[in-house]
Amino acid sequence: MSSTGAGTPHPAPRPRLARDPGTGPSARRRPLAAPRAHRSNALHPGAWWLWALGLGTAASRTTNPLLLALLIGVAGYVVAARRTSAPWARSYGAFVKLGLSVIGIRLLFAVFLGSPIPGTHLLVTLPEVPLPEWAQGVRIGGRVTVEGLVFALYDGLKLAALLICVGAANALASPARLLKSLPGALYEAGVAVVVAMTFAPNLIADVRRLRAARRLRGRPDKGLRGLAQVGLPVLEGALERSVALAAAMDARGYGRTAEVPAAVRRVTAVLTLGGLVGVCAGTYGLLTADGARYGLPVLLAGVAAALGGLWLGGRRSVRTRYRPDVWGVRAWLVAASGAAVAAVMIRAGSYDPSALAPGVVPLAAPTLPLWPAAGVLLGLLPAFVAPSPPLAETPSKEAS
């Protein structure tokens, strides 16, 4: 044993013991690396949006309440099976509530503003408000029939299914990762959308925090006075965050573009605008019975032109991508399942339209068509092929 000049002995070095791989600090730190491994195996966010758009397209082709309920159930099951614990993943409940409110508003319109569907089963007769001659075709009050309410219910359920499908995409696809996957021509618009989506929860959190602080101080937090006292600090905090974000984006070179010849810019504008017009015309053709012949070719031509314009417009962007998301086999399967649901529903509408749009005059119970229902069930494929979300880890007392 050696000693120092002061005569204080040094402690003998401890022998290194072999640690059990299942215990010790290294084992407690190991779960922190799990999200990184899961991140490399995560599904491309664009696949979730293509899947949800396929379900939404199928919902737009039918007013059968059984098929619409089946579509909503498929979307809800996939969200419950593959939703993460991220804050943006909690938006699905808000879309479900919005869909229910849409159904309620549609029924109220049918009651107070009337319905174009004639019916024989009278429920109630409301006092009708006399309107001038230029408002022919519009009425307030009058007869309320069961057929009119059922038609309004089918129509509202269709719109609610569309909103729930969009909500499923919002709950499953990360906005930040979706922004990274956007083409260079849409990057600036995507940043604006993501910033808006990020700032909205912050505003809600500020309102709750300030209202709680006012209640603790014994001050009113409701009514016009409470709203005025809470609104000013919220706006001030939003302005400070906006200034800080603008300074951070400017420091990172946001908005810097490369030099592109004028001819390329003109071609890009023509392709992009022409492609968007073609997409709108083709979509309108697919949604109407008269334009089914030209709808699909015009839609495909518009998508091709728009993609070409976006590719040329991306040459102005000088940004790079760190660890870009890979479009793998699972992404193809998820996107293909949504496309298959839409294709089956479109095909079913061409040979059996009455099954997808049940009539209400005379009033009869809707039936569930087997082939369209089987096609809707193809939308459950992401619940089995998409990677499982990481489990929420609860730190133990020893680790904390």
Side-chain angles (χ1 to χ4, degrees), residues 156-354:
L157 187 61
K158 177 180 178 179
L159 183 55
L162 289 172
L163 291 173
I164 290 175
C165 292
V166 175
N170 278 277
L172 294 171
S174 171
R177 288 175 51 214
L178 183 62
L179 175 62
K180 289 176 58 178
S181 304
L182 286 178
L186 300 178
Y187 179 71
E188 296 182 0
V191 168
V193 173
V194 171
V195 167
M197 294 174 61
T198 305
F199 269 46
N202 292 332
L203 292 178
I204 297 175
D206 288 346
V207 170
R208 292 178 178 176
R209 177 175 54 83
L210 290 172
R211 291 185 61 184
R214 291 184 62 83
R215 285 195 298 267
L216 291 175
R217 292 178 174 86
R219 298 177 182 177
D221 61 321
K222 298 180 181 179
L224 295 178
R225 182 179 179 183
L227 180 62
Q229 295 294 331
V230 171
L232 186 60
V234 169
L235 293 178
E236 183 179 357
L239 181 61
E240 291 179 356
R241 281 194 297 268
S242 301
V243 173
L245 179 62
M249 294 172 67
D250 184 65
R252 289 165 173 81
Y254 175 76
R256 183 167 53 94
T257 58
E259 293 293 335
V260 178
V264 176
R265 290 199 299 268
R266 287 193 290 268
V267 173
T268 302
V270 170
L271 287 177
T272 304
L273 294 178
L276 293 178
V277 171
V279 168
C280 294
T283 304
Y284 177 78
L286 290 177
L287 295 177
T288 58
D290 298 334
R293 296 180 179 178
Y294 69 86
L296 185 59
V298 172
L299 178 62
L300 294 177
V303 170
L307 291 177
L310 293 177
W311 178 76
L312 289 177
R315 299 175 59 183
R316 299 180 65 245
S317 178
V318 294
R319 68 187 182 96
T320 59
R321 290 184 179 139
Y322 174 67
R323 296 173 63 192
D325 291 304
V326 180
W327 189 280
V329 178
R330 293 181 175 182
W332 281 112
L333 291 175
V334 171
S337 66
V341 173
V344 169
M345 197 66 68
I346 292 174
R347 177 59 182 166
S350 62
Y351 71 83
D352 192 8
S354 60

Side-chain angles (χ1 to χ4, degrees), residues 93-115:
F95 279 90
V96 173
K97 295 177 182 178
L98 181 60
L100 294 177
S101 63
V102 165
I103 296 176
I105 292 173
R106 184 65 181 87
L107 290 175
L108 288 178
F109 281 175
V111 170
F112 294 103
L113 300 181
S115 175

Side-chain angles (χ1 to χ4, degrees), residues 47-59:
W48 286 122
W49 274 101
L50 291 178
W51 168 79
L53 290 177
L55 295 185
T57 302

Side-chain angles (χ1 to χ4, degrees), residues 125-143:
T125 302
L126 299 177
E128 188 171 354
V129 178
L131 297 176
E133 296 182 357
W134 54 266
Q136 293 294 330
V138 180
R139 67 180 179 88
I140 301 177
R143 300 173 69 251

Side-chain angles (χ1 to χ4, degrees), residues 367-397:
T367 59
L368 181 65
L370 296 181
W371 285 110
V376 171
L377 293 179
L378 294 176
L380 292 173
L381 185 63
F384 305 99
V385 301
S388 301
L391 297 177
E393 299 177 10
T394 56
S396 60
K397 294 181 180 181

